[in-house]
Amino acid sequence: MSNAEPVLRMEGITKIFSGVTALSQVDLALARGEVHALVGENGAGKSTLIKIMTGAYTRDGGQMFLEGRAVDFRTPEDAQAEGVVAVYQEVNLLTFRTVAENIYLGREPRRFGLIDWKQMNADAAALLKRLGLDIDPRAPLGSLNIALRQMVAIARGVSFDAKVVVLDEPTSSLTEHEVQILYDVIRRLKAEGTAVVYISHRFDELYTVCDRVTILRDGRFVATRPLAGLEKIDLVCLMLGKQREELRQGTTAFKGATEAAAGETPLLSAENLKRGRKLNDVTVEVARGEIVGMAGLLGSGRTETARAIFGADSVEAGEVRLEGKTIKRGSVNEAIDSGIAFLTEDRKAEGIIPELSVRENLTLAALPALSTLGVVSRARQTEIVDKFMKRLGIKAANADQKIRELSGGNQQKVLLARWLCKNPKFLILDEPTRGIDIGAKGEIQSLVGELAESGLGVLMISSELEELVEGSSRVVVMRDGQRVGELRGDDISQANIIRAMAEGTTGEATAASTATAHVTDTTPPAAEPPSVPPAKGA
Amino acid sequence: MSQAATTIDEGGSAHGRLMRARFASFAQRQGALIALVAVCVFAAIRYERFLTEENLVNVLRQNSMLGLVALGMTFVILTGGIDLSVGSLMAVAGVAAATLAGQGALIAVVAAVAITTVLGLVNGVVIAKARIQPFIVTLAMMIAARGLVLAYTGEKSVGIGKSSETLTSLGRDFVGPVPVPVVFLVVLFALGWLVLNHTRFGRHVYALGDNDEAARLMGLNTARVTIGVYALSGALAGLAGVLDAARLGAGRPVAGQGDELNAIAAVVVGGTLLTGGQGSVLATLVGVLLLGLIFNVFNFEGWISPWWQAVLRGLFLLVVVIVQNRLSRRK
Ligand SMILES: Nc1ncnc2c1ncn2[C@@H]1O[C@H](COP(=O)(O)OP(=O)(O)OP(=O)(O)O)[C@@H](O)[C@H]1O
Ligand SMILES: [Mg+2]
């Protein structure tokens, strides 16, 4: 077969979901050994297209060819048998089963008809090691955090020796280190001649690993281009269907945050939180109108801090106060009642209620406020739902569509809206813009910024450093369950955050050049020397 | 500072905490086993005749049919399903075997089990292909199969003639000191354990109950697994029905009534989750024995009326499940 013949070719693909066209006449051709990016706004149809490619959905029109031969995958099993494999957007694995079982499900090695557990665990261990992952193949999947689960899903995907591997937003919960591992994996697949489809909303990633890009807009094919020589801004234009001049400059939509006036009682103070080895004496304070960023590698205690503040995990020691009033330890109800909101990172498990409509999911937390004597005011509900759907650009057929049917990014927006419409006093965002397209990201960021201006306190956990740098007035850096420092004002830069995450050295500590300062800097901000430069933009 | 004090305190008893955590996880998994041992000790102390070979063999024999049904039910429940038709299928198989007894024991047994396997298969196909809830499908089968067997027999038992002593011996004879139904029970539970833990089919049963959508997206043929477990449940219910008829010397159209619920109770008491994905056949065996022993204890007591026995058994079931639930949430 000639090299020019695509491994996989899709032509005129159309998909209609109960009357709504999700894809119309989409073409895609994958060459051997290429990494092909698929981009488009939330709801553009990326996931739908690859689900059709891998047999999870059946198409309503169009044709598909594998190595020139017309194929028709009816189930993921069919597609896998032909060497077309996907790692889907939502981590879709088996929680109670072991890592090795998840990787080899359906292909378990056997001896005399019985599963060869030893072989399976050894194979899995070798595979994980090759990918640079320190995961016990015999651990139940449920004992791993989301990032590691995602790596297991990826390990499963690459273990097939497939012709085509699809990665739908593979990096959404990965940290920098794991993203590097993933790049290595992708390069190896490429060298072996595998075609890789790579879906992501993070453009730097696309430019790092991808050769060509196909752009979808509103379920339609826009273009396929080589990435080399295509400017980022032009790519965004193609994606949004706008002209260059119409686009706003800057990577995030934060205007630059204000810092709390000294001496004021903080809106929220969490003091000396302690929980096993995961949280060691962590103190965080957030003032009214302040956006405090929280940085750290995976497992550094960021999410644990958030959960402890919210009362989702009970702490062994420590105190959380909102407006000076102590909140009972480990009581989510009390936290919510006093005005704390928490957008969790694991939306699938902790957030959406798949069978309920967008309307119901969105207003779930606000229902008490929307009802009189237990009867929900439909008018007020509609008003709120409309407002947020418009403001966040939530793409759904209508407010009564089941949330399960929305694209990943749009589900996310609904969850964010759920908390925002409660008018919280203090909002914890754990990876607020993960999986959100570039246009909507700006909307979310500017909305959070606006809310902060009107007095909301925000604790924003993010692995996207730009977001932290441009959005926060202070950045708290975590490592190994400890708070290892804080950056303020002009010290907040990507380089400084990375250094602090890695070494536990903050800007201040470097200045003082004390070798011992790093791991123990847990002083509350109020007690720090007033040598802090003024916040930028303030 | 009181906080510091707590910290030190907890550090000091780290070992204790670990032991307690271990115990909790053991108790969660083996709660039924602990209860079983407790009941045995209680009964052994209180009743002289409890630990005699005769009594124990009796308990085992009385519970072996239920055990087989519960074994099939374990597979079904592990996939997140339920099978309400097993009691009726027992009657179908018993009557079928009794009717065919004249053709020779082998033919009678094979044909009876084949019939219920096919009925189980029908359950599975409707559930997997027409995507209707197992509760509804097997409820319909339960009603229809019972009706069928009542209509066929005219509500009368079908006797197994003298001609077929091989068939009745299946229910009455011993291998050494062990009754034949108990041999079936032990062998099939061992096989069930092997299948669940060491074959692809078994692991896929767990996968399906864990997350069926994920299993499908990972390329598992979920329909095949679903059909498989209902067919298996039908087959085991059929075998139980045959053994029951063999023991009593007649196929009764009312056999197995309520056994579907007893089987579910045994599986749940054993510690298998009704939501699927977690549990084991050993847990089910413990569950079956536990419920059986409680019955045995009531018999020894003698003075408790059957109605009050039912009340106590219901309460006991509730308590065991609540305790297990508690322990598993503590993690
Ligand atoms: N099962 C379904 N039923 C009805 N509509 C659906 C279903 N799945 C997807 N859709 C619709 O199809 C459109 C495309 O969704 P898709 O998930 O492919 O978007 P996407 O490009 O992957 O977006 P994201 O970046 O947010 O993941 C959306 O408008 C969505 O609402
Ligand atoms: Mg998607």
Side-chain angles (χ1 to χ4, degrees), chain A residues 17-18 20-23 40-49 51 57 89-90 168-169 199 201 216 395-397 401-402 404-411 435-437:
Chain A
F17 288 112
S18 48
V20 181
T21 308
L23 288 176
E41 288 177 277
N42 294 130
K46 306 177 296 291
S47 298
T48 306
L49 184 65
K51 281 191 172 166
Y57 288 162
Q89 182 168 11
E90 300 83 21
D168 193 352
E169 300 195 24
I199 302 178
H201 290 291
L216 299 183
K395 218 180 129 190
Q401 192 176 10
K402 283 185 184 168
R404 159 171 80 72
E405 297 173 354
L406 262 55
S407 81
N410 282 303
Q411 293 185 2
I436 301 242
D437 73 53

mmCIF file of all heavy atoms in Angstrom, chain A residues 17-18 20-23 40-49 51 57 89-90 168-169 199 201 216 395-397 401-402 404-411 435-437, ligand 1:
data_model
loop_
_atom_site.group_PDB
_atom_site.id
_atom_site.type_symbol
_atom_site.label_atom_id
_atom_site.label_comp_id
_atom_site.label_asym_id
_atom_site.label_seq_id
_atom_site.Cartn_x
_atom_site.Cartn_y
_atom_site.Cartn_z
ATOM 1 N N PHE A 17 -28.990 13.662 16.509
ATOM 2 C CA PHE A 17 -29.520 13.193 17.793
ATOM 3 C C PHE A 17 -30.939 13.706 17.947
ATOM 4 O O PHE A 17 -31.134 14.908 18.064
ATOM 5 C CB PHE A 17 -28.698 13.725 18.967
ATOM 6 C CG PHE A 17 -27.345 13.099 19.099
ATOM 7 C CD1 PHE A 17 -26.196 13.840 18.859
ATOM 8 C CD2 PHE A 17 -27.209 11.782 19.493
ATOM 9 C CE1 PHE A 17 -24.952 13.274 18.997
ATOM 10 C CE2 PHE A 17 -25.962 11.212 19.640
ATOM 11 C CZ PHE A 17 -24.828 11.956 19.386
ATOM 12 N N SER A 18 -31.872 12.845 17.956
ATOM 13 C CA SER A 18 -33.296 13.200 18.081
ATOM 14 C C SER A 18 -33.617 14.556 17.452
ATOM 15 O O SER A 18 -34.022 15.502 18.113
ATOM 16 C CB SER A 18 -33.745 13.171 19.548
ATOM 17 O OG SER A 18 -32.840 13.875 20.354
ATOM 18 N N VAL A 20 -31.727 16.854 16.297
ATOM 19 C CA VAL A 20 -30.705 17.897 16.298
ATOM 20 C C VAL A 20 -29.455 17.379 15.587
ATOM 21 O O VAL A 20 -28.933 16.315 15.930
ATOM 22 C CB VAL A 20 -30.333 18.305 17.743
ATOM 23 C CG1 VAL A 20 -29.291 19.398 17.735
ATOM 24 C CG2 VAL A 20 -31.579 18.723 18.487
ATOM 25 N N THR A 21 -28.994 18.134 14.607
ATOM 26 C CA THR A 21 -27.825 17.693 13.857
ATOM 27 C C THR A 21 -26.558 18.018 14.626
ATOM 28 O O THR A 21 -26.254 19.182 14.867
ATOM 29 C CB THR A 21 -27.777 18.383 12.485
ATOM 30 O OG1 THR A 21 -29.045 18.185 11.861
ATOM 31 C CG2 THR A 21 -26.682 17.805 11.621
ATOM 32 N N ALA A 22 -25.827 16.993 15.020
ATOM 33 C CA ALA A 22 -24.579 17.216 15.741
ATOM 34 C C ALA A 22 -23.410 17.290 14.776
ATOM 35 O O ALA A 22 -22.456 18.020 14.990
ATOM 36 C CB ALA A 22 -24.357 16.113 16.765
ATOM 37 N N LEU A 23 -23.482 16.520 13.695
ATOM 38 C CA LEU A 23 -22.431 16.545 12.686
ATOM 39 C C LEU A 23 -23.090 16.567 11.327
ATOM 40 O O LEU A 23 -24.077 15.881 11.089
ATOM 41 C CB LEU A 23 -21.571 15.287 12.769
ATOM 42 C CG LEU A 23 -20.625 15.128 13.945
ATOM 43 C CD1 LEU A 23 -19.963 13.769 13.877
ATOM 44 C CD2 LEU A 23 -19.589 16.230 13.964
ATOM 45 N N GLY A 40 -12.182 22.629 18.014
ATOM 46 C CA GLY A 40 -13.493 23.236 17.822
ATOM 47 C C GLY A 40 -14.030 23.638 19.186
ATOM 48 O O GLY A 40 -13.551 23.144 20.203
ATOM 49 N N GLU A 41 -15.023 24.526 19.176
ATOM 50 C CA GLU A 41 -15.584 24.973 20.443
ATOM 51 C C GLU A 41 -16.289 23.831 21.171
ATOM 52 O O GLU A 41 -16.542 22.796 20.585
ATOM 53 C CB GLU A 41 -16.615 26.073 20.180
ATOM 54 C CG GLU A 41 -16.023 27.379 19.750
ATOM 55 C CD GLU A 41 -17.131 28.362 19.454
ATOM 56 O OE1 GLU A 41 -17.681 28.329 18.339
ATOM 57 O OE2 GLU A 41 -17.474 29.138 20.364
ATOM 58 N N ASN A 42 -16.663 24.075 22.407
ATOM 59 C CA ASN A 42 -17.436 23.077 23.143
ATOM 60 C C ASN A 42 -18.729 22.819 22.392
ATOM 61 O O ASN A 42 -19.467 23.745 22.075
ATOM 62 C CB ASN A 42 -17.786 23.575 24.551
ATOM 63 C CG ASN A 42 -16.563 23.753 25.428
ATOM 64 O OD1 ASN A 42 -16.367 24.778 26.051
ATOM 65 N ND2 ASN A 42 -15.718 22.746 25.450
ATOM 66 N N GLY A 43 -18.982 21.556 22.108
ATOM 67 C CA GLY A 43 -20.206 21.222 21.391
ATOM 68 C C GLY A 43 -20.065 21.254 19.880
ATOM 69 O O GLY A 43 -21.035 21.095 19.163
ATOM 70 N N ALA A 44 -18.829 21.431 19.399
ATOM 71 C CA ALA A 44 -18.628 21.491 17.949
ATOM 72 C C ALA A 44 -18.813 20.128 17.304
ATOM 73 O O ALA A 44 -19.046 20.022 16.099
ATOM 74 C CB ALA A 44 -17.241 22.036 17.642
ATOM 75 N N GLY A 45 -18.658 19.063 18.085
ATOM 76 C CA GLY A 45 -18.892 17.735 17.536
ATOM 77 C C GLY A 45 -17.656 16.839 17.512
ATOM 78 O O GLY A 45 -17.677 15.772 16.903
ATOM 79 N N LYS A 46 -16.608 17.242 18.217
ATOM 80 C CA LYS A 46 -15.365 16.465 18.203
ATOM 81 C C LYS A 46 -15.568 15.070 18.793
ATOM 82 O O LYS A 46 -15.229 14.061 18.180
ATOM 83 C CB LYS A 46 -14.270 17.208 18.995
ATOM 84 C CG LYS A 46 -14.035 18.629 18.537
ATOM 85 C CD LYS A 46 -13.001 19.339 19.386
ATOM 86 C CE LYS A 46 -13.399 19.537 20.835
ATOM 87 N NZ LYS A 46 -14.501 20.492 21.052
ATOM 88 N N SER A 47 -16.121 15.044 20.001
ATOM 89 C CA SER A 47 -16.304 13.744 20.655
ATOM 90 C C SER A 47 -17.258 12.867 19.862
ATOM 91 O O SER A 47 -17.062 11.660 19.748
ATOM 92 C CB SER A 47 -16.849 13.931 22.073
ATOM 93 O OG SER A 47 -15.933 14.647 22.851
ATOM 94 N N THR A 48 -18.290 13.480 19.303
ATOM 95 C CA THR A 48 -19.243 12.714 18.513
ATOM 96 C C THR A 48 -18.547 12.075 17.311
ATOM 97 O O THR A 48 -18.753 10.897 17.016
ATOM 98 C CB THR A 48 -20.388 13.623 18.041
ATOM 99 O OG1 THR A 48 -20.950 14.273 19.185
ATOM 100 C CG2 THR A 48 -21.465 12.833 17.329
ATOM 101 N N LEU A 49 -17.684 12.845 16.665
ATOM 102 C CA LEU A 49 -16.986 12.322 15.491
ATOM 103 C C LEU A 49 -16.113 11.121 15.863
ATOM 104 O O LEU A 49 -16.139 10.098 15.177
ATOM 105 C CB LEU A 49 -16.122 13.424 14.859
ATOM 106 C CG LEU A 49 -15.424 13.024 13.568
ATOM 107 C CD1 LEU A 49 -16.429 12.744 12.468
ATOM 108 C CD2 LEU A 49 -14.431 14.097 13.108
ATOM 109 N N LYS A 51 -16.436 9.204 18.431
ATOM 110 C CA LYS A 51 -17.259 8.079 18.885
ATOM 111 C C LYS A 51 -17.816 7.312 17.696
ATOM 112 O O LYS A 51 -17.992 6.094 17.761
ATOM 113 C CB LYS A 51 -18.387 8.567 19.794
ATOM 114 C CG LYS A 51 -17.880 8.845 21.197
ATOM 115 C CD LYS A 51 -18.997 9.078 22.197
ATOM 116 C CE LYS A 51 -18.426 9.142 23.601
ATOM 117 N NZ LYS A 51 -19.378 9.679 24.567
ATOM 118 N N TYR A 57 -20.873 5.239 18.648
ATOM 119 C CA TYR A 57 -22.123 5.699 18.055
ATOM 120 C C TYR A 57 -22.178 5.172 16.621
ATOM 121 O O TYR A 57 -21.144 4.943 16.012
ATOM 122 C CB TYR A 57 -22.182 7.233 17.955
ATOM 123 C CG TYR A 57 -22.354 7.995 19.238
ATOM 124 C CD1 TYR A 57 -22.049 9.361 19.284
ATOM 125 C CD2 TYR A 57 -22.838 7.392 20.398
ATOM 126 C CE1 TYR A 57 -22.203 10.094 20.449
ATOM 127 C CE2 TYR A 57 -22.991 8.129 21.563
ATOM 128 C CZ TYR A 57 -22.673 9.472 21.590
ATOM 129 O OH TYR A 57 -22.831 10.203 22.730
ATOM 130 N N GLN A 89 -13.264 10.997 26.405
ATOM 131 C CA GLN A 89 -13.114 12.236 27.160
ATOM 132 C C GLN A 89 -13.338 12.041 28.649
ATOM 133 O O GLN A 89 -12.527 12.432 29.469
ATOM 134 C CB GLN A 89 -14.106 13.259 26.608
ATOM 135 C CG GLN A 89 -14.039 14.619 27.263
ATOM 136 C CD GLN A 89 -14.836 15.637 26.462
ATOM 137 O OE1 GLN A 89 -15.587 15.295 25.563
ATOM 138 N NE2 GLN A 89 -14.669 16.891 26.796
ATOM 139 N N GLU A 90 -14.463 11.444 29.013
ATOM 140 C CA GLU A 90 -14.688 11.197 30.425
ATOM 141 C C GLU A 90 -13.937 9.919 30.744
ATOM 142 O O GLU A 90 -14.036 8.950 30.016
ATOM 143 C CB GLU A 90 -16.170 10.989 30.727
ATOM 144 C CG GLU A 90 -17.058 12.148 30.375
ATOM 145 C CD GLU A 90 -17.438 12.137 28.901
ATOM 146 O OE1 GLU A 90 -17.355 11.066 28.271
ATOM 147 O OE2 GLU A 90 -17.778 13.208 28.378
ATOM 148 N N ASP A 168 -9.111 11.788 23.459
ATOM 149 C CA ASP A 168 -10.057 12.903 23.584
ATOM 150 C C ASP A 168 -9.771 13.662 24.880
ATOM 151 O O ASP A 168 -10.061 13.172 25.963
ATOM 152 C CB ASP A 168 -11.495 12.366 23.569
ATOM 153 C CG ASP A 168 -12.525 13.472 23.367
ATOM 154 O OD1 ASP A 168 -12.133 14.658 23.385
ATOM 155 O OD2 ASP A 168 -13.713 13.152 23.194
ATOM 156 N N GLU A 169 -9.209 14.821 24.746
ATOM 157 C CA GLU A 169 -8.800 15.655 25.879
ATOM 158 C C GLU A 169 -8.044 14.851 26.928
ATOM 159 O O GLU A 169 -8.436 14.797 28.094
ATOM 160 C CB GLU A 169 -10.019 16.362 26.496
ATOM 161 C CG GLU A 169 -10.692 17.251 25.458
ATOM 162 C CD GLU A 169 -11.657 18.256 26.059
ATOM 163 O OE1 GLU A 169 -11.506 18.595 27.229
ATOM 164 O OE2 GLU A 169 -12.540 18.707 25.319
ATOM 165 N N ILE A 199 -7.350 15.478 20.682
ATOM 166 C CA ILE A 199 -8.319 16.544 20.913
ATOM 167 C C ILE A 199 -7.920 17.296 22.166
ATOM 168 O O ILE A 199 -7.653 16.675 23.203
ATOM 169 C CB ILE A 199 -9.739 15.972 21.099
ATOM 170 C CG1 ILE A 199 -10.134 15.165 19.863
ATOM 171 C CG2 ILE A 199 -10.745 17.078 21.374
ATOM 172 C CD1 ILE A 199 -11.498 14.522 19.958
ATOM 173 N N HIS A 201 -8.163 21.504 24.153
ATOM 174 C CA HIS A 201 -8.448 22.937 24.069
ATOM 175 C C HIS A 201 -7.199 23.747 24.375
ATOM 176 O O HIS A 201 -7.242 24.969 24.393
ATOM 177 C CB HIS A 201 -9.566 23.313 25.037
ATOM 178 C CG HIS A 201 -10.903 22.772 24.627
ATOM 179 N ND1 HIS A 201 -11.565 23.230 23.519
ATOM 180 C CD2 HIS A 201 -11.669 21.807 25.157
ATOM 181 C CE1 HIS A 201 -12.709 22.566 23.393
ATOM 182 N NE2 HIS A 201 -12.791 21.690 24.372
ATOM 183 N N LEU A 216 -13.457 21.936 13.391
ATOM 184 C CA LEU A 216 -14.903 21.780 13.274
ATOM 185 C C LEU A 216 -15.571 23.011 13.877
ATOM 186 O O LEU A 216 -15.085 23.575 14.850
ATOM 187 C CB LEU A 216 -15.393 20.551 14.049
ATOM 188 C CG LEU A 216 -14.890 19.164 13.664
ATOM 189 C CD1 LEU A 216 -15.582 18.125 14.524
ATOM 190 C CD2 LEU A 216 -15.165 18.897 12.198
ATOM 191 N N LYS A 395 -24.176 25.488 25.369
ATOM 192 C CA LYS A 395 -24.782 25.061 24.121
ATOM 193 C C LYS A 395 -25.647 23.818 24.335
ATOM 194 O O LYS A 395 -25.133 22.741 24.590
ATOM 195 C CB LYS A 395 -23.670 24.764 23.118
ATOM 196 C CG LYS A 395 -24.018 25.196 21.721
ATOM 197 C CD LYS A 395 -22.897 24.896 20.774
ATOM 198 C CE LYS A 395 -23.472 24.144 19.597
ATOM 199 N NZ LYS A 395 -22.481 23.602 18.718
ATOM 200 N N ALA A 396 -26.936 24.000 24.262
ATOM 201 C CA ALA A 396 -27.853 22.868 24.412
ATOM 202 C C ALA A 396 -29.042 23.138 23.506
ATOM 203 O O ALA A 396 -29.305 24.288 23.145
ATOM 204 C CB ALA A 396 -28.315 22.750 25.854
ATOM 205 N N ALA A 397 -29.747 22.065 23.141
ATOM 206 C CA ALA A 397 -30.910 22.238 22.284
ATOM 207 C C ALA A 397 -31.891 23.197 22.965
ATOM 208 O O ALA A 397 -32.405 24.132 22.364
ATOM 209 C CB ALA A 397 -31.572 20.897 21.997
ATOM 210 N N GLN A 401 -33.079 19.869 27.847
ATOM 211 C CA GLN A 401 -32.306 18.717 27.373
ATOM 212 C C GLN A 401 -31.598 18.067 28.569
ATOM 213 O O GLN A 401 -31.182 18.742 29.504
ATOM 214 C CB GLN A 401 -31.256 19.196 26.353
ATOM 215 C CG GLN A 401 -30.613 18.053 25.603
ATOM 216 C CD GLN A 401 -29.653 18.546 24.520
ATOM 217 O OE1 GLN A 401 -29.331 19.729 24.438
ATOM 218 N NE2 GLN A 401 -29.208 17.630 23.686
ATOM 219 N N LYS A 402 -31.487 16.740 28.518
ATOM 220 C CA LYS A 402 -30.760 16.046 29.586
ATOM 221 C C LYS A 402 -29.296 16.444 29.550
ATOM 222 O O LYS A 402 -28.705 16.492 28.490
ATOM 223 C CB LYS A 402 -30.858 14.532 29.391
ATOM 224 C CG LYS A 402 -32.180 13.966 29.803
ATOM 225 C CD LYS A 402 -32.161 12.454 29.690
ATOM 226 C CE LYS A 402 -33.536 11.902 30.026
ATOM 227 N NZ LYS A 402 -33.672 10.507 29.684
ATOM 228 N N ARG A 404 -26.724 14.879 30.316
ATOM 229 C CA ARG A 404 -25.913 13.787 29.782
ATOM 230 C C ARG A 404 -25.654 13.941 28.289
ATOM 231 O O ARG A 404 -24.648 13.493 27.768
ATOM 232 C CB ARG A 404 -26.680 12.497 30.085
ATOM 233 C CG ARG A 404 -26.399 11.281 29.309
ATOM 234 C CD ARG A 404 -27.113 10.101 29.953
ATOM 235 N NE ARG A 404 -28.535 10.015 29.617
ATOM 236 C CZ ARG A 404 -28.993 9.656 28.409
ATOM 237 N NH1 ARG A 404 -28.163 9.368 27.453
ATOM 238 N NH2 ARG A 404 -30.286 9.585 28.196
ATOM 239 N N GLU A 405 -26.579 14.598 27.603
ATOM 240 C CA GLU A 405 -26.459 14.734 26.156
ATOM 241 C C GLU A 405 -25.621 15.941 25.743
ATOM 242 O O GLU A 405 -25.383 16.160 24.563
ATOM 243 C CB GLU A 405 -27.850 14.827 25.521
ATOM 244 C CG GLU A 405 -28.677 13.582 25.740
ATOM 245 C CD GLU A 405 -30.109 13.726 25.257
ATOM 246 O OE1 GLU A 405 -30.499 14.842 24.859
ATOM 247 O OE2 GLU A 405 -30.833 12.710 25.281
ATOM 248 N N LEU A 406 -25.190 16.741 26.715
ATOM 249 C CA LEU A 406 -24.371 17.897 26.364
ATOM 250 C C LEU A 406 -22.930 17.476 26.150
ATOM 251 O O LEU A 406 -22.487 16.460 26.666
ATOM 252 C CB LEU A 406 -24.428 18.935 27.503
ATOM 253 C CG LEU A 406 -25.409 20.082 27.300
ATOM 254 C CD1 LEU A 406 -26.789 19.551 27.026
ATOM 255 C CD2 LEU A 406 -25.399 20.991 28.503
ATOM 256 N N SER A 407 -22.186 18.291 25.421
ATOM 257 C CA SER A 407 -20.762 18.005 25.251
ATOM 258 C C SER A 407 -20.073 18.237 26.587
ATOM 259 O O SER A 407 -20.591 18.918 27.466
ATOM 260 C CB SER A 407 -20.170 18.908 24.190
ATOM 261 O OG SER A 407 -19.888 20.176 24.733
ATOM 262 N N GLY A 408 -18.875 17.631 26.732
ATOM 263 C CA GLY A 408 -18.148 17.683 28.003
ATOM 264 C C GLY A 408 -17.984 19.098 28.536
ATOM 265 O O GLY A 408 -18.266 19.381 29.700
ATOM 266 N N GLY A 409 -17.549 20.002 27.659
ATOM 267 C CA GLY A 409 -17.299 21.365 28.093
ATOM 268 C C GLY A 409 -18.568 22.069 28.538
ATOM 269 O O GLY A 409 -18.567 22.854 29.491
ATOM 270 N N ASN A 410 -19.666 21.761 27.884
ATOM 271 C CA ASN A 410 -20.919 22.416 28.248
ATOM 272 C C ASN A 410 -21.480 21.899 29.572
ATOM 273 O O ASN A 410 -22.089 22.656 30.331
ATOM 274 C CB ASN A 410 -21.934 22.259 27.127
ATOM 275 C CG ASN A 410 -21.657 23.218 25.985
ATOM 276 O OD1 ASN A 410 -21.608 24.426 26.183
ATOM 277 N ND2 ASN A 410 -21.419 22.688 24.799
ATOM 278 N N GLN A 411 -21.229 20.631 29.871
ATOM 279 C CA GLN A 411 -21.647 20.096 31.169
ATOM 280 C C GLN A 411 -20.943 20.875 32.279
ATOM 281 O O GLN A 411 -21.513 21.221 33.301
ATOM 282 C CB GLN A 411 -21.271 18.618 31.278
ATOM 283 C CG GLN A 411 -22.042 17.747 30.316
ATOM 284 C CD GLN A 411 -21.758 16.268 30.507
ATOM 285 O OE1 GLN A 411 -21.002 15.879 31.384
ATOM 286 N NE2 GLN A 411 -22.376 15.451 29.694
ATOM 287 N N GLY A 435 -11.084 21.715 30.112
ATOM 288 C CA GLY A 435 -11.979 21.188 29.093
ATOM 289 C C GLY A 435 -12.883 22.238 28.460
ATOM 290 O O GLY A 435 -13.800 21.915 27.737
ATOM 291 N N ILE A 436 -12.633 23.512 28.779
ATOM 292 C CA ILE A 436 -13.491 24.578 28.248
ATOM 293 C C ILE A 436 -12.777 25.235 27.071
ATOM 294 O O ILE A 436 -11.576 25.465 27.129
ATOM 295 C CB ILE A 436 -13.761 25.613 29.356
ATOM 296 C CG1 ILE A 436 -14.431 24.895 30.511
ATOM 297 C CG2 ILE A 436 -14.512 26.793 28.832
ATOM 298 C CD1 ILE A 436 -15.785 25.332 30.852
ATOM 299 N N ASP A 437 -13.514 25.532 26.020
ATOM 300 C CA ASP A 437 -12.849 26.061 24.830
ATOM 301 C C ASP A 437 -12.390 27.488 25.051
ATOM 302 O O ASP A 437 -12.784 28.167 25.993
ATOM 303 C CB ASP A 437 -13.739 25.926 23.589
ATOM 304 C CG ASP A 437 -14.888 26.911 23.590
ATOM 305 O OD1 ASP A 437 -14.648 28.118 23.749
ATOM 306 O OD2 ASP A 437 -16.047 26.467 23.437
HETATM 307 N N1 LIG C 1 -26.196 11.447 23.261
HETATM 308 C C1 LIG C 1 -26.523 12.659 22.778
HETATM 309 N N2 LIG C 1 -27.823 13.029 22.640
HETATM 310 C C2 LIG C 1 -28.156 14.249 22.170
HETATM 311 N N3 LIG C 1 -27.262 15.190 21.783
HETATM 312 C C3 LIG C 1 -25.954 14.891 21.894
HETATM 313 C C4 LIG C 1 -25.516 13.622 22.392
HETATM 314 N N4 LIG C 1 -24.162 13.608 22.393
HETATM 315 C C5 LIG C 1 -23.778 14.817 21.911
HETATM 316 N N5 LIG C 1 -24.852 15.590 21.608
HETATM 317 C C6 LIG C 1 -24.802 16.948 21.057
HETATM 318 O O1 LIG C 1 -23.926 16.960 19.964
HETATM 319 C C7 LIG C 1 -23.158 18.147 19.937
HETATM 320 C C8 LIG C 1 -21.695 17.823 19.831
HETATM 321 O O2 LIG C 1 -21.226 17.269 21.054
HETATM 322 P P1 LIG C 1 -19.767 16.739 21.269
HETATM 323 O O3 LIG C 1 -19.733 16.033 22.566
HETATM 324 O O4 LIG C 1 -19.322 15.982 20.095
HETATM 325 O O5 LIG C 1 -18.931 18.104 21.376
HETATM 326 P P2 LIG C 1 -17.374 18.316 21.587
HETATM 327 O O6 LIG C 1 -16.864 18.988 20.370
HETATM 328 O O7 LIG C 1 -16.723 17.067 21.990
HETATM 329 O O8 LIG C 1 -17.343 19.387 22.776
HETATM 330 P P3 LIG C 1 -16.397 19.495 24.092
HETATM 331 O O9 LIG C 1 -15.217 20.295 23.679
HETATM 332 O O10 LIG C 1 -17.229 20.272 25.044
HETATM 333 O O11 LIG C 1 -16.077 18.131 24.551
HETATM 334 C C9 LIG C 1 -23.527 18.919 21.202
HETATM 335 O O12 LIG C 1 -24.394 19.970 20.837
HETATM 336 C C10 LIG C 1 -24.242 17.930 22.063
HETATM 337 O O13 LIG C 1 -25.252 18.552 22.808
#
